[in-house]
Amino acid sequence: MRMGWWVFISLISVSIILMQELLEDYAAGRSDMWSYVWALGFMLVLGIVAFWFFTRTDEAK
């Protein structure tokens, strides 16, 4: 499960950077709120897929 931990940490890091960038764009008026919602939804789906994959990998052991 060590690989799953590193993937989880990297997903959190990427999502924090993405949220910061999108909020700065939104505050500056260069972006609308829908791009923020889509990006967070994408990160949520990616996190669920990674969780499912590593759960299945642990069951296979």
Side-chain angles (χ1 to χ4, degrees), residues 3-22:
M3 182 66 177
W5 175 251
W6 286 109
V7 169
F8 179 69
I9 293 297
S10 66
L11 282 174
I12 288 176
S13 301
V14 168
S15 63
I16 289 171
I17 293 167
L18 182 65
M19 284 189 290
Q20 178 184 359
E21 179 68 28
L22 287 171

Side-chain angles (χ1 to χ4, degrees), residues 7-61:
V7 169
F8 179 69
I9 293 297
S10 66
L11 282 174
I12 288 176
S13 301
V14 168
S15 63
I16 289 171
I17 293 167
L18 182 65
M19 284 189 290
Q20 178 184 359
E21 179 68 28
L22 287 171
L23 284 174
E24 287 175 1
D25 283 347
Y26 181 71
R30 293 188 301 253
S31 178
D32 58 345
M33 193 56 113
W34 286 110
S35 59
Y36 176 71
V37 171
W38 281 107
L40 286 180
F42 175 73
M43 292 305 297
L44 177 67
V45 168
L46 195 60
I48 290 170
V49 168
F51 175 77
W52 176 77
F53 175 76
F54 286 109
T55 302
R56 300 273 300 190
T57 304
D58 278 348
E59 289 174 2
K61 286 185 177 180

